[in-house]
Amino acid sequence: MHTYEVNLELEHLFSYIKDSENSMRGYLISKDSLYLKPYQIATKNVNNSFLLLKQLTTDNPIQQRKLESLFEIINKRYEFIDNYSDTNANVDKRQNYFFKQNFKESTELLAKIRTKLNEMIALEEVYLKNRNELYKSQVFLTPILTLSIIFITLLVLIFAYYKTNKDVERLQVTNIELNKSQFLSYQAEILSEFGTWEWNLNTGKIIFSDNFYRIIGVAPQSFEANTENFNQFVHPEDIEIANQIVKKILNTQELPYSYFRIIRPDGEVRLLRATGKLFTDKLENQSILGVTEDITVEDNKTKLLQQNYDELKIFEESSKQSEILGKYGCWILNYDSLDYFYSDNQFRLLGFEPQSFHPTAEKFLESVHPEDKNIVTNAHKKAQVEQYFPTINFRVIRQDGKIRRFRTSATSFIDSTGTQSMIGTTQDVTEDFNKSLELKDRNRELEQNIKELNEFNHVASHDLQEPLRKIQTFISRINDKEKSNLSEFGKEYLSRIESASNRMRVLINDLLQYSKTSRSETTLVRTDLNDVFADSLLELSQNIEDKKAIILNTKLPTIQGVDFQMQQLFSNLLSNSLKYSKEDIVPQISLSYSEIIAKTDILIKDKSNKRFYKFEFKDNGIGFEQEHAEKIFLLFNRLHGKTEYQGTGVGLAICKKIVENHHGYIYAKSEINIGTTFIFYIPV
């Protein structure tokens, strides 16, 4: 029975070793940690079987030595295998020389184990025969041997328990490290926006990582991983690319960098990049291990960088053209090296070919007019010492001998590397200087003309009106004393003279009023338009009463304006509406306002966000053709003969001038026999 038990346990031991071998091979092939559990169970069974054999062969030193030798072989083999049982280890089984060597030696050790077991079985058979003989002669020693075996067994069990606890502790530490590694890998996929996949070429099975699902916008493991389901997310225009990727994997068994787009369930289009490599395990199972990365942000940055580069090139070219057209050049002074850099046009301004010499302060001074060298020298010294460059004006003598006037200004600049420089521009202002001299001459002429105009206004207001008043006085005396002695022709001529003198008086007054409006102070103060409009109504009250006109107005705002000019504006518009009212129809005049933003109004020329008060002065008079809407604001312009309606054609010109003095705009809309609306805008 003892021999049978030993032989049976030896067979069990070899069976357990084979189980652990198969489990470890499964793990090494698939890297699936599920194979580690049967490996661990088989390892435990090997230990238990070994302990049992130790007990069974306690009375046999030879078997004990063979068992110890067997134990050393088994331990050595497990040391080889344990090197690759760590799931955190990343070993290329195809390229790692030590793995191949260890795997080979492990296989040889398995054969040695089988040989050693056969030796022990054969020895047990010999012992069986001897024991049968000893049993008959030494049966009385059985209890002693039994107790010895039990004692030894207990020792072996204690030792095995101790070793098992140590192995469990080591396994727990390994599992903790494995969990950390898995967690870090999981987080790395999320943070780096990539997912992994495996395509088993033997079975055709595909496995997607959790983050692969997230990349395409769905929950992890929400659908079965296969090409058909994945193609549902591929952009319709890139379906052919996806099909070519599948063919490439199947034909070449690897995948170089490939790019395609997907459409997530929320409609967002993302750009993906995929790559993969062939992996073959020891059992010749082949798989494509791949990585798919979301590179949408990277692609957008690349496109933006390219766009910025293109725009920079355009800007650089336009800057060069701008320098030529604007007759200016740019320069840079590096404070650390005191080196200068000139743009191409900076050289041209001095009469040289672009980049024809190394720019320095001394070289530039050679072109500066001798009388202005101190201006440039002091400015450059100030720039180098105080890092401040004032705007300076100076003359240069070009290479062709021409004298030009330059203006230079600069400012300090610190780039992204911390390097501080002075960036400046130099402009050829010769034409501007000459124009300024010409403008000064023109201004002097203008001042002289204004002086003469003021003298004319004085003559018009005093010297011209004095004889006109005398003419009107003599006409009045003739009408009082001599009119009855005149013939009918004389009376008609006298009437015409009187009418002409009245028109002359009105015209002179209007011209003086227009001149006063053009030359008046334009200091704007707070002006309540309600009071101003009330004064205008009072001024024209007699005319309004005669016409029985109806005047309507809303409450008006307070503006920044000139009081008497705004009153004149309202008075002229009221007078104009009353003058051109229809016969036998009561004039109706209304004044209203609203607050608008310039760019939202179709009439106003200002398209900014500036706010204006929009006033609408509307009547029901005779109106006019809209084609004359701009002509009516011209000086001395009349749409009707002087015999039809009295007037000089100055009133509306004064209105326009007043509105312009207030930085506003005025327009007119009209229809024949319907009426006229004057619309004017005053800034808020």
Side-chain angles (χ1 to χ4, degrees):
M1 290 300 297
H2 180 267
T3 299
Y4 172 77
E5 289 177 357
V6 172
N7 290 343
L8 181 61
E9 198 58 33
L10 288 172
E11 291 296 332
H12 286 169
L13 177 61
F14 189 75
S15 176
Y16 296 147
I17 292 172
K18 291 285 288 182
D19 290 343
S20 66
E21 174 75 9
N22 291 335
S23 299
M24 179 50 63
R25 287 178 181 269
Y27 170 69
L28 291 176
I29 292 171
S30 66
K31 273 299 182 179
D32 192 339
S33 58
L34 292 175
Y35 286 98
L36 291 178
K37 187 173 180 180
Y39 167 76
Q40 295 165 356
I41 294 173
T43 302
K44 185 176 180 181
N45 290 336
V46 168
N47 291 333
N48 292 337
S49 179
F50 184 82
L51 291 175
L52 184 56
L53 286 170
K54 288 282 286 184
Q55 293 176 357
L56 293 174
T57 60
T58 305
D59 60 340
N60 192 332
I62 298 176
Q63 289 288 60
Q64 285 282 302
R65 286 194 298 272
K66 288 184 177 293
L67 195 60
E68 290 175 358
S69 176
L70 178 62
F71 180 72
E72 290 177 357
I73 296 173
I74 294 173
N75 272 348
K76 186 174 182 180
R77 181 178 170 276
Y78 274 116
E79 287 176 0
F80 290 154
I81 295 176
D82 284 344
N83 290 332
Y84 307 97
S85 63
D86 185 359
T87 57
N88 193 34
N90 186 12
V91 180
D92 189 346
K93 312 306 187 298
R94 296 173 296 176
Q95 303 296 331
N96 191 297
Y97 170 80
F98 294 101
F99 171 80
K100 295 179 179 180
Q101 186 67 23
N102 291 344
F103 195 88
K104 179 180 179 182
E105 291 185 13
S106 176
T107 304
E108 293 173 355
L109 289 175
L110 186 63
K112 288 182 180 181
I113 291 172
R114 177 74 267 182
T115 302
K116 193 62 79 172
L117 288 174
N118 289 337
E119 291 176 1
M120 292 182 70
I121 291 173
L123 188 59
E124 281 296 324
E125 294 295 333
V126 174
Y127 287 156
L128 177 61
K129 185 182 296 184
N130 294 336
R131 284 195 187 101
N132 286 330
E133 294 175 357
L134 290 173
Y135 177 77
K136 296 176 182 178
S137 59
Q138 300 178 351
V139 68
F140 63 94
L141 296 177
T142 300
I144 298 174
L145 291 174
T146 302
L147 290 175
S148 299
I149 291 173
I150 292 174
F151 178 74
I152 294 173
T153 302
L154 288 175
L155 292 178
V156 172
L157 287 175
I158 292 172
F159 177 75
Y161 179 77
Y162 170 77
K163 291 292 292 181
T164 301
N165 282 340
K166 287 295 183 181
D167 290 343
V168 169
E169 290 177 1
R170 185 167 59 87
L171 184 60
Q172 288 176 341
V173 172
T174 303
N175 285 336
I176 291 173
E177 294 300 323
L178 176 61
N179 290 335
K180 289 181 180 178
S181 177
Q182 289 177 335
F183 176 77
L184 292 176
S185 176
Y186 180 82
Q187 293 300 320
E189 286 194 17
I190 296 175
L191 293 176
S192 301
E193 296 189 9
F194 71 88
T196 57
W197 48 272
E198 177 185 350
W199 189 339
N200 190 311
L201 299 179
N202 297 94
T203 64
K205 184 178 180 181
I206 300 176
I207 300 174
F208 293 158
S209 67
D210 287 351
N211 208 53
F212 187 93
Y213 288 90
R214 296 190 185 96
I215 288 176
I216 59 179
V218 297
Q221 310 304 325
S222 58
F223 63 84
E224 183 182 353
N226 55 54
T227 57
E228 182 179 353
N229 289 337
F230 178 73
N231 282 345
Q232 296 179 5
F233 298 91
V234 178
H235 195 287
E237 297 177 2
D238 293 351
I239 286 291
E240 184 59 30
I241 297 177
N243 293 334
Q244 291 298 324
I245 289 174
V246 173
K247 292 180 181 178
K248 199 173 295 182
I249 292 174
L250 296 176
N251 295 335
T252 64
Q253 298 184 342
E254 65 176 273
L255 178 63
Y257 282 118
S258 301
Y259 301 84
F260 57 93
R261 292 169 295 171
I262 62 166
I263 302 177
R264 289 179 171 178
D266 59 5
E268 184 179 5
V269 177
R270 308 293 292 183
L271 179 64
L272 304 185
R273 176 173 60 196
T275 185
K277 292 291 183 181
L278 177 67
F279 170 75
T280 304
D281 59 26
K282 288 297 183 179
L283 297 178
E284 300 302 323
N285 292 317
Q286 293 184 328
S287 299
I288 299 294
L289 303 180
V291 176
T292 298
E293 182 182 4
D294 186 339
I295 60 168
T296 307
V297 175
E298 178 184 341
D299 182 65
N300 291 338
K301 289 181 179 178
T302 302
K303 291 179 179 177
L304 180 60
L305 184 62
Q306 182 61 43
Q307 179 182 351
N308 290 340
Y309 176 77
D310 294 340
E311 291 177 354
L312 183 61
K313 294 294 288 183
I314 294 172
F315 177 76
E316 180 183 4
E317 186 61 31
S318 64
S319 296
K320 291 181 180 179
Q321 297 301 319
S322 297
E323 287 190 8
I324 296 173
L325 294 175
K327 296 182 179 180
Y328 70 90
C330 298
W331 54 269
I332 299 175
L333 167 62
N334 187 306
Y335 286 129
D336 296 332
S337 62
L338 297 181
D339 288 335
Y340 283 84
F341 166 78
Y342 286 176
S343 67
D344 289 348
N345 211 50
Q346 182 77 2
F347 288 90
R348 296 190 186 99
L349 292 179
L350 300 174
F352 295 94
E353 290 296 320
Q355 311 303 326
S356 58
F357 63 85
H358 179 68
T360 62
E362 292 75 15
K363 182 67 176 177
F364 183 77
L365 280 174
E366 293 178 3
S367 299
V368 178
H369 195 284
E371 297 177 4
D372 294 346
K373 286 184 183 293
N374 62 323
I375 299 175
V376 178
T377 301
N378 293 335
H380 279 273
K381 287 181 178 178
K382 197 176 188 68
Q384 295 176 2
V385 176
E386 303 179 10
Q387 298 181 354
Y388 169 73
F389 195 100
T391 300
I392 58 173
N393 294 282
F394 57 95
R395 291 166 293 173
V396 298
I397 303 176
R398 286 167 47 98
Q399 187 72 4
D400 55 10
K402 293 182 179 179
I403 297 177
R404 307 294 292 180
R405 290 186 175 271
F406 282 7
R407 178 183 292 122
T408 293
S409 60
T411 184
S412 292
F413 172 76
I414 300 177
D415 62 21
S416 59
T417 64
T419 303
Q420 190 167 12
S421 305
M422 177 73 73
I423 299 179
T425 57
T426 298
Q427 185 176 16
D428 186 336
V429 295
T430 308
E431 283 76 12
D432 292 341
F433 179 79
N434 294 336
K435 288 179 181 179
S436 66
L437 294 179
E438 183 180 352
L439 184 60
K440 289 180 181 178
D441 293 338
R442 294 290 178 88
N443 285 338
R444 283 194 293 269
E445 294 178 4
L446 182 60
E447 290 176 358
Q448 181 64 30
N449 292 336
I450 292 175
K451 184 177 179 181
E452 293 175 356
L453 180 60
N454 289 335
E455 292 176 355
F456 169 77
N457 289 336
H458 179 75
V459 171
S461 60
H462 296 284
D463 297 349
L464 287 181
Q465 290 205 48
E466 179 61 27
L468 181 60
R469 281 193 295 269
K470 288 183 179 180
I471 291 173
Q472 289 180 326
T473 299
F474 291 142
I475 290 174
S476 176
R477 289 179 180 178
I478 292 174
N479 279 330
D480 293 339
K481 297 180 179 181
E482 300 295 334
K483 187 175 183 178
S484 59
N485 297 328
L486 295 175
S487 65
E488 292 300 323
F489 288 107
K491 292 178 181 179
E492 182 178 352
Y493 293 150
L494 181 63
S495 176
R496 291 183 179 182
I497 293 172
E498 183 178 14
S499 177
S501 65
N502 287 334
R503 287 198 304 274
M504 175 71 75
R505 178 179 56 79
V506 173
L507 178 60
I508 291 174
N509 288 334
D510 286 347
L511 284 174
L512 289 174
Q513 193 66 42
Y514 183 79
S515 176
K516 183 179 178 182
T517 301
S518 300
R519 294 184 295 105
S520 63
E521 295 292 334
T522 56
T523 301
L524 306 179
V525 298
R526 286 180 60 83
T527 303
D528 189 342
L529 295 185
N530 295 290
D531 297 337
V532 173
F533 189 64
D535 292 340
S536 296
L537 292 177
L538 183 61
E539 179 184 346
L540 298 173
S541 58
Q542 186 60 50
N543 198 1
I544 293 172
E545 185 177 347
D546 292 342
K547 291 278 188 174
K548 298 181 181 180
I550 299 175
I551 311 296
L552 302 173
N553 69 283
T554 60
K555 185 176 180 180
L556 302 177
T558 299
I559 67 167
Q560 293 295 115
V562 181
D563 186 282
F564 81 90
Q565 287 191 12
M566 292 305 297
Q567 181 177 344
Q568 187 176 8
L569 171 65
F570 288 141
S571 296
N572 284 359
L573 292 177
L574 282 169
S575 178
N576 189 80
S577 294
L578 293 172
K579 181 194 303 184
Y580 295 107
S581 61
K582 299 175 185 177
E583 294 183 5
D584 302 327
I585 294 180
V586 175
Q588 292 187 2
I589 303 170
S590 64
L591 174 60
S592 61
Y593 89 100
S594 60
E595 188 174 334
I596 58 98
I597 297 176
K599 66 180 182 181
T600 63
D601 194 276
I602 60 175
L603 285 180
I604 197 168
K605 297 178 181 179
D606 190 340
K607 298 305 177 184
S608 66
N609 289 319
K610 191 174 180 180
R611 293 183 300 130
F612 284 83
Y613 291 123
K614 179 180 181 180
F615 297 89
E616 295 190 26
F617 197 97
K618 187 175 183 180
D619 64 45
N620 62 342
I622 62 174
F624 58 85
E625 296 288 349
Q626 185 62 31
E627 63 186 33
H628 303 304
E630 294 183 8
K631 296 180 182 179
I632 62 173
F633 294 108
L634 300 178
L635 192 64
F636 302 125
N637 187 78
R638 294 172 54 89
L639 299 183
H640 306 88
K642 60 185 179 182
T643 57
E644 298 179 77
Y645 296 95
Q646 295 182 352
T648 60
V650 179
L652 291 180
I654 293 175
C655 290
K656 183 177 182 180
K657 180 60 66 176
I658 291 172
V659 172
E660 290 176 349
N661 288 345
H662 287 75
H663 312 295
Y665 308 90
I666 186 169
Y667 306 95
K669 289 184 177 181
S670 185
E671 292 184 51
I672 296 294
N673 294 324
I674 299 298
T676 301
T677 300
F678 289 95
I679 303 171
F680 60 95
Y681 302 82
I682 303 295
V684 174

